[in-house]
Amino acid sequence: MRLALATASALAYAGVLAWAAARSPGLAGLLVALGGLGGVLLLGVLVRGMQELLAWALGTLGVVYAVSLVVAGGGVDDAAPLVATGLLLCGELAAWSLDARWRIAEDETVVRRRALAVGALALAGLAASALVVAVALAPAGRGVAWTTLGAASAVGVVGAAVALLRRGDSSG
Amino acid sequence: MTRLSSPRLAGYASLAALGLLAGLATGRVELVALAAPFALAALAGAALGRRPQLGAGFSLDRDRALEGDDAVATIRLSSASGLDRVELLLPLPAELAAGGPNPRALRLAAGEPRTLELPVHCERWGAFRLGPILLRGRDLLGFHAWEAEGGESQALRVYPSAETLHALLTPLDTQVFVGNQVSRTHGDGIEFADVREWAPGDRVRRINWRASARRGDLWVNEQHPERNTDVVLFLDTFAEVRVRGRGTHDLAVRAATSLAHRYLQRKDRVGLVGFGGFLTWLLPASGTMQLYRIVDSLLQTDIVHTFAARDVTILPPRSLPPKALVLALTPLLDPRSAGALLDLRARGFDLVVIEVSPVEFVQPGSDALSQLSYRLWKLSREALRARYEQAGVPVVAWREGVPLNVPLEEVGAYRRFARPARA
């Protein structure tokens, strides 16, 4: 089971990387090289159990995608929600694979509920991401107010991230 | 309860923040879309981080078992708030094996207690403490874990299985108390011993009328009285050979248990001396309680390596009563125990050496030097055996898989033809 999960995680990673490379054929080599670096980090997570590297691997792939977006230019990438979901699935499956590395006899209910939870999270992430893209495409207007609101949201999320980080450090 | 958070939670939050900031900086909505699922996952993770209420109990269906028996550990779990994944582990020593899944992961519904039974197979004797059980609760997505211990530890004594012994060694001397052993001396008893001339004080019922009629004088019967014996089990705990969970000490303990059981059944007094790095002794006594004392003491004996010089003078005098039969169970590996046994013989004890053979546990190496050293080692053991035999001490080897009756019969045969010289 662990192998299947790790393979699925690696496949999700490879899919996103392939999509990013396909968007910018001129920079495909560089993007694949950068993505390969993240792939090595992901391998470290999957093979050696170094779970603290997971965010770095996903971040690297995110940077690859961002570079491909900036370089390719043009309109909004309609596949962005799928890319985001692929990244999230890559992380979740890798984490599940890590949890499965100990030989623990699991009740079927436990496995089924985790699979359902990961699926639900992926679907919710897909919906949230699609909502963001849809809202951005809607003619809701532009201006300082919207930029301020966006910046405030970003600061709020950063604040939440810092709070979670500090909470994580203080526990256990 | 210790809480542990996955680094993934902070990583997701950081990725979400990074994506939002990058989206603002570059004006690309895709980056915000990229951040959205991670922000959602981080929020879900934070929401799932409530401390669960988890109660656990642990009990064993018995506190004593025999080697090869199965004890059943019952684990009771309950959670008022419910828990999506509970991992539980009952740590077991190497001598015990779980007969079911251990560790195990399961789901606990809110307010619905669960009772799990885990068979524990007792593979080797020993005194153990099982529990508490180790618990780890996780949320649905594995963002948080809570670790705790549950239940009280329980004692489990696994007694060595005793062999069936058909015959026991007869000591050279008996003690003064009544027992089941026919004494060599003459006195009141059942077994006929001899006739002698009547003497004042002899009872009329003891007169042998036939012998008296034939000889013209009064002659009386003499009998062998039934007496008990003192048996001291002398366990050599200086060294052992152990290979893949099997060793000479295990065999020695099993033999000591079997002998103690059988001699005590015969109403003899049995004592125990553990002679090694850690000295233990039990004064000879009889009865079922003594059997439990001996077995409990045997469970706690272990091989303790020491460089200290030891001889029999450090033993309390009462642990080796006069005329006691000393049954030494030794792998004949340490010269200190070998010397102590010869010393006991020199002091006039009725000594029998049961050599718990380590030869089967040792494999000679493939190179010539290893083969030579192996042969020398076996020769040195032969020489030691010859020294015992010169002193009139029967030495019999007991190998794994051979019934203990066999070496005891060998000693019996030895004693029929050779008797230790009296000083």
Side-chain angles (χ1 to χ4, degrees):
Chain A
M1 180 168 161
R2 190 196 169 200
L3 192 65
L5 290 167
T7 309
S9 172
L11 282 177
Y13 186 92
V16 173
L17 180 60
W19 175 254
R23 272 187 61 85
S24 306
L27 271 179
L30 177 69
L31 293 177
V32 168
L34 196 58
L37 185 67
V40 171
L41 295 177
L42 184 65
L43 272 182
V45 175
L46 296 176
V47 178
R48 305 297 301 271
M50 303 158 78
Q51 53 180 327
E52 60 278 4
L53 293 182
L54 181 61
W56 290 99
L58 297 177
T60 308
L61 191 56
V63 168
V64 168
Y65 180 62
V67 170
S68 79
L69 283 176
V70 172
V71 170
V76 175
D77 180 13
D78 293 340
L82 288 176
V83 170
T85 308
L87 269 178
L88 182 67
L89 267 180
C90 172
E92 283 303 298
L93 292 173
W96 193 358
S97 160
L98 284 183
D99 289 345
R101 69 186 185 279
W102 311 115
R103 283 172 184 256
I104 299 177
E106 293 175 314
D107 282 5
E108 199 186 324
T109 324
V110 174
V111 180
R112 202 168 53 230
R113 282 180 64 86
R114 175 104 189 228
L116 283 174
V118 170
L121 185 66
L123 282 178
L126 180 68
S129 191
L131 185 68
V132 167
V133 173
V135 167
L137 290 176
R142 294 168 185 276
V144 179
W146 282 105
T147 309
T148 310
L149 186 62
S153 305
V155 168
V157 172
V158 172
V162 170
L164 284 171
L165 279 169
R166 293 180 65 180
R167 201 165 137 190
D169 288 344
S170 62
S171 65
Chain B
M1 190 176 273
T2 310
R3 177 178 142 154
L4 305 164
S5 292
S6 165
R8 176 164 116 258
L9 185 60
Y12 281 2
S14 305
L15 285 174
L18 198 68
L20 287 174
L21 289 175
L24 272 177
T26 59
R28 303 289 310 203
V29 71
E30 294 93 334
L31 297 182
V32 179
L34 209 62
F38 289 101
L40 191 70
L43 287 174
L48 289 169
R50 282 172 298 142
R51 182 191 173 95
Q53 293 167 323
L54 182 62
F58 166 68
S59 62
L60 280 172
D61 69 332
R62 62 179 77 181
D63 57 359
R64 292 172 186 187
L66 273 177
E67 260 183 323
D69 279 0
D70 279 332
V72 178
T74 305
I75 299 164
R76 289 172 299 280
L77 295 171
S78 63
S79 174
S81 55
L83 206 50
D84 286 301
R85 182 185 171 100
V86 183
E87 296 168 5
L88 55 103
L89 169 72
L90 175 61
L92 293 175
E95 293 84 356
L96 304 176
N102 186 42
R104 181 174 179 182
L106 49 94
R107 178 174 176 265
L108 268 184
E112 198 176 289
R114 281 191 72 170
T115 303
L116 307 169
E117 290 196 339
L118 179 68
V120 177
H121 186 65
C122 307
E123 293 188 337
R124 183 181 177 260
W125 53 267
F128 311 105
R129 286 204 81 79
L130 298 190
I133 49 171
L134 305 182
L135 297 162
R136 183 192 288 146
R138 284 178 182 273
D139 62 40
L140 196 56
L141 289 163
F143 283 117
H144 304 281
W146 295 267
E147 291 184 346
E149 293 183 345
E152 298 288 318
S153 67
Q154 307 273 321
L156 177 64
R157 290 178 175 274
V158 181
Y159 294 136
S161 52
E163 288 204 26
T164 306
L165 299 177
H166 300 300
L168 288 173
L169 290 178
T170 309
L172 296 178
D173 291 304
T174 50
Q175 302 294 322
V176 293
F177 299 107
V178 174
N180 287 354
Q181 178 65 39
V182 177
S183 171
R184 293 175 200 279
T185 58
H186 296 177
D188 285 335
I190 298 169
E191 293 283 330
F192 175 78
D194 204 352
V195 290
R196 62 165 171 81
E197 274 194 282
W198 179 86
D202 282 336
R203 288 188 284 180
V204 176
R205 61 183 290 190
R206 293 183 64 184
I207 294 173
N208 185 329
W209 293 107
R210 284 190 180 182
S212 302
R214 199 177 300 128
R215 301 188 182 197
D217 276 329
L218 284 177
W219 284 71
V220 292
N221 287 335
E222 281 191 317
Q223 283 90 20
H224 292 297
E226 283 75 34
R227 296 283 183 256
N228 77 335
T229 59
D230 282 355
V231 179
V232 176
L233 301 169
F234 189 96
L235 202 66
D236 175 5
T237 57
F238 273 114
E240 72 163 340
V241 178
R242 176 166 282 278
V243 180
R244 285 189 288 277
R246 302 174 303 120
T248 52
H249 185 60
D250 292 0
L251 293 177
V253 167
R254 190 160 299 131
T257 309
S258 307
L259 290 166
H261 184 253
R262 192 73 172 80
Y263 274 109
L264 287 169
Q265 222 172 28
R266 217 178 64 165
K267 295 183 175 57
D268 290 330
R269 297 199 314 163
V270 181
L272 176 73
V273 171
F275 192 68
F278 194 75
L279 188 73
T280 55
W281 68 86
L282 273 175
L283 300 184
S286 55
T288 311
M289 281 301 294
Q290 178 71 354
L291 177 64
Y292 281 111
R293 274 195 290 266
I294 288 175
V295 177
D296 283 346
S297 179
L298 285 171
L299 293 185
Q300 286 156 15
T301 60
D302 207 352
I303 301 298
V304 180
H305 294 285
T306 177
F307 294 100
R310 292 271 161 93
D311 59 29
V312 290
T313 55
I314 62 170
L315 289 173
R318 286 175 61 205
S319 65
L320 290 166
K323 298 182 180 178
L325 168 65
V326 180
L327 286 171
L329 296 155
T330 168
L332 292 180
L333 290 169
D334 195 281
R336 288 167 291 188
S337 58
L341 291 174
L342 285 170
D343 195 357
L344 281 181
R345 176 68 202 110
R347 289 164 192 251
F349 282 98
D350 180 10
L351 176 67
V352 171
V353 175
I354 299 174
E355 177 203 341
V356 184
S357 177
V359 178
E360 283 68 34
F361 296 98
V362 180
Q363 293 298 321
S366 53
D367 56 308
L369 188 63
S370 302
Q371 300 263 350
L372 178 66
S373 56
Y374 182 70
R375 276 168 42 213
L376 281 173
W377 177 64
K378 285 176 74 174
L379 281 172
S380 69
R381 297 180 62 79
E382 290 290 335
L384 183 58
R385 258 183 237 122
R387 277 181 67 195
Y388 282 120
E389 281 165 9
Q390 274 180 342
V393 178
V395 187
V396 284
W398 182 43
R399 294 176 177 80
E400 194 184 22
V402 177
L404 188 57
N405 281 309
V406 175
L408 296 183
E409 283 297 330
E410 279 184 49
V411 176
Y414 179 95
R415 284 190 159 184
R416 274 195 286 276
F417 301 108
R419 292 202 181 283
R422 296 279 181 193

